[in-house]
Structures are given as structure tokens and as C-alpha cells.
Amino acid sequence: QVQLVESGGGLVQAGGSLRLSCAASGSIFSDNAMGWYRQSPGKQRKLVAAISSGGSTNYADSVKGRFTISRDNAKNTLYLQMNSLKPEDTAVYYCNAVLPPFQVAASLDWGQGTQVTVSS
């Protein structure tokens, strides 16, 4: 089973940037469409960005134009570049599988996530 380890979160002021990483163990990473999900306190986990095995990307409207998802299959790593951050982006961010082009799959075991906090 693939294990997922997210990193790169932190505290940033509104308008700032962060780059999240998700390291995946296992050789099946390159065959999976992957995505970034986020969960704010008291809210359901939501899919915000997805990338197919071939590199096609899709985004939730709330992050479109500000976030960029990418992957490096040679390193088994998924990335999320987050620019122009807003307080409403505050959440724990997780990576997991998706159904392309933009559907929740979450078929892999969840990692611990990485906390992103945006101050106003």
C-alpha cells in the first residue's frame, strides 16, 4: 500500500505563498491521478486540486488562478504551489488519489496532513 507524507505547511500572512509536498512510497504513484484535499475545522474534507497521471490539471473555483498542482513521478512526489493566500485557505492539507478529472477517490490511506494557517 502506498504511504503518503505531506509537508511544507506553516503560518503565512495573507498574500503570501507556500509550497506543499507529498512524498509517496510505492511504485504505483505514477499510475494514479492525485489530488490535494483540505479540511477546515468543523468542515468536510474537500478536493481543491487534481492532476492526472499524464499531467492534466483541474482546480476548485476557490483556488483557481492561485494554486498550481504538479508532480514529479521520478521522485514519487506531488506538489502544491499556493500563491496569494487568503485566511479562508487555512486548513489541514492532505494528498490522496482522485478520479480524473476532478472527483474524490481517496483510495489510499490518509497521511497526517500539513497545517496551513493564513493570518489576515
Side-chain angles (χ1 to χ4, degrees), residues 1-5 22-30 32 34 76 95-96 107-111:
Q1 179 67 295
V2 175
Q3 291 185 320
L4 304 170
V5 179
C22 168
S25 65
S27 59
I28 65 172
F29 173 81
S30 62
N32 277 288
M34 296 293 295
N76 283 351
C95 60
N96 210 311
S107 54
L108 305 174
D109 291 339
W110 291 102

Side-chain angles (χ1 to χ4, degrees), residues 37-59:
Y37 300 74
R38 70 185 182 188
Q39 186 169 21
S40 304
K43 296 186 178 181
Q44 285 190 326
R45 198 169 298 183
K46 291 186 177 181
L47 178 62
V48 297
I51 185 166
S52 71
S53 58
S56 298
T57 59
N58 285 277
Y59 301 91

Side-chain angles (χ1 to χ4, degrees), residues 1-96:
Q1 179 67 295
V2 175
Q3 291 185 320
L4 304 170
V5 179
E6 300 91 349
S7 63
L11 174 63
V12 63
Q13 287 188 329
S17 299
L18 284 173
R19 189 192 194 205
L20 307 184
S21 298
C22 168
S25 65
S27 59
I28 65 172
F29 173 81
S30 62
D31 296 330
N32 277 288
M34 296 293 295
W36 284 96
Y37 300 74
R38 70 185 182 188
Q39 186 169 21
S40 304
K43 296 186 178 181
Q44 285 190 326
R45 198 169 298 183
K46 291 186 177 181
L47 178 62
V48 297
I51 185 166
S52 71
S53 58
S56 298
T57 59
N58 285 277
Y59 301 91
D61 288 342
S62 59
V63 306
K64 200 172 293 183
R66 300 187 298 120
F67 289 11
T68 302
I69 188 172
S70 61
R71 65 192 299 162
D72 185 335
N73 289 337
K75 295 182 178 179
N76 283 351
T77 303
L78 183 73
Y79 302 100
L80 186 68
Q81 177 67 44
M82 305 187 296
N83 299 328
S84 302
L85 282 161
K86 304 176 181 180
E88 50 264 44
D89 295 319
T90 295
V92 180
Y93 285 72
Y94 304 86
C95 60
N96 210 311

